[in-house]
Structures are given as C-alpha cells and as structure tokens.
Amino acid sequence: DVCSSDLSILIGLMICAVCWAAVGFHLSAERDRTLNAAITEATRLSQLLEANTAGLIKGIDRTLLLMRLAYEENPENFNFHLWADRAIAAGDVTTEVGLIDAKGLLQRRTDYKGPPIDLSDREHFKFQASSRVDQPFISKPIVLRSSGQTQIQVSRRLRKANGDFDGIIVASINPNHIVEFYKSLNLPRNDNVILRGLDGDI
C-alpha cells in the first residue's frame, strides 16, 4: 500500500510536471509568434519609411538638378524666383530655396531680401566646395541665419563652364513636416521612429 501510494504521488507529480512543461512550451511558442510578428511588422514599417524618405529626397534632388541645369545654361539671366516657386510647389516639405556663391555668400533665398550672408562655414557648403564627387548633400537640422528657422538642407554644387566650383543651390526641408508624418502613422505607445544619417547621427 505504501508503495502504491508513493507511486500514485510520483505519477501525480509527473503529470503536473508534464502539464507545466506543456503550458511553458505553449507560452514560449506564443511569445515567439508574437515576437516574430512584431519584428515582421517593424521591418515592414521600416522599409516603408525608408522608401518614403528616399522618394522625398530624390524628388527634391531632381528639382535641384533642373535648377542647376537652368543656371549653368545661362548664369547671368537665371530666373531664381521662378525656379524657387517651382521647387516649393514640387514638394510638400520644401519650404525655401537658396543660392550661395563660390565664396559662401548667400545671394538669394526665398522670401529673403537682406544683404548677402556668409555661409562658408556651413557643413553643406564646405562639402560641396571640396567634394570631387557630384552628389547631393543632406545636412543635419540647422538654424538658418536668414530666418532663424530650423531646417534640413539638401544641396547641389553649381559648376562653371570649365567645371570649376561656382557655388551651391539649396532646398530646405522643415523637419517638423517629417515629424508630423511620423505621428500620422499612429504607432503604438512607446514606439519610436528614428531618422539617422549615414554618419550615424540622429
């Protein structure tokens, strides 16, 4: 009887252990499914945002290339304000366009009628002035000296007929427009979207 009782207890404990193992396995499998679903959704959203950001920059850059073409064909008669209006109309986030000469002086800017401003120390100007590669440059958000607003600068170098550096043309993006777009995604609470440059800076 004692052995039978001990055997019953042992069998009962084994059944409990098996039950708890089954529950643990089920919970672990459910956790893995939930985690995998979250990773899949985050990857999908990340790819969507990457495509959206790339499309935004490419659209602005296409406009800058058209402006540059018009400028380089006839620098003396380049209709800056006409092209600036077109650039702003082309994108929802482009707020201003500027023209900086080879010395780094801001010569023209949308809605700015003041004297030239020295921008030769700006990162986007220094990059375009020294780079041997013809490519757009995207700055970190900076405070504009012409307006005091915080903007992201997308720039292209201007070239003389012989290929020498002749200044840059710049389109400004209001970073708040990008933030508002991220907010419109209605992400779950505590989720964040981070836009990071190739240099690793946020």
Side-chain angles (χ1 to χ4, degrees):
D1 288 338
V2 174
C3 289
S4 175
S5 175
D6 289 346
L7 185 60
S8 297
I9 292 172
L10 181 60
I11 291 172
L13 289 173
M14 289 177 64
I15 291 172
C16 287
V18 169
C19 288
W20 278 112
V23 169
F25 176 79
H26 176 74
L27 291 175
S28 177
E30 187 64 30
R31 176 183 173 278
D32 287 345
R33 278 194 295 271
T34 302
L35 184 59
N36 287 334
I39 291 172
T40 299
E41 177 60 19
T43 301
R44 185 193 68 80
L45 180 61
S46 177
Q47 291 171 342
L48 173 68
L49 292 174
E50 182 179 349
N52 176 271
T53 304
L56 167 70
I57 298 301
K58 285 179 181 177
I60 292 172
D61 188 44
R62 277 194 296 270
T63 303
L64 289 177
L65 288 171
L66 288 172
M67 292 181 72
R68 181 174 77 175
L69 181 62
Y71 173 87
E72 292 177 349
E73 284 181 349
N74 193 346
E76 299 301 322
N77 296 309
F78 176 63
N79 191 331
F80 172 79
H81 292 292
L82 173 64
W83 280 98
D85 290 343
R86 289 179 180 176
I88 293 171
D92 294 334
V93 297
T94 306
T95 57
E96 292 191 47
V97 179
L99 183 66
I100 302 172
D101 68 21
K103 295 179 180 178
L105 296 177
L106 175 67
Q107 296 294 346
R108 303 177 213 172
R109 188 167 193 89
T110 314
D111 297 330
Y112 177 72
K113 303 189 186 306
I117 300 173
D118 185 1
L119 302 177
S120 59
D121 62 326
R122 292 295 203 185
E123 186 181 19
H124 54 286
F125 177 82
K126 290 193 288 187
F127 173 87
Q128 296 293 8
S130 62
S131 177
R132 296 182 179 179
V133 181
D134 183 20
Q135 66 182 38
F137 181 83
I138 306 166
S139 78
K140 302 176 184 69
I142 60 173
V143 177
L144 301 185
R145 292 173 186 155
S146 60
S147 65
Q149 296 178 335
T150 299
Q151 304 277 312
I152 296 169
Q153 305 289 77
V154 182
S155 62
R156 274 279 185 178
R157 65 185 292 136
L158 298 172
R159 304 162 302 187
K160 295 180 180 178
N162 62 1
D164 288 348
F165 178 68
D166 198 27
I168 69 173
I169 199 151
V170 183
S172 298
I173 303 173
N174 186 337
N176 291 330
H177 292 332
I178 299 175
V179 172
E180 289 305 316
F181 169 69
Y182 289 165
K183 287 181 178 179
S184 73
L185 300 174
N186 295 319
L187 298 174
R189 189 174 181 181
N190 297 324
D191 279 13
N192 293 294
V193 178
I194 297 174
L195 182 61
R196 190 184 69 176
L198 294 175
D199 56 5
D201 285 347
I202 294 173

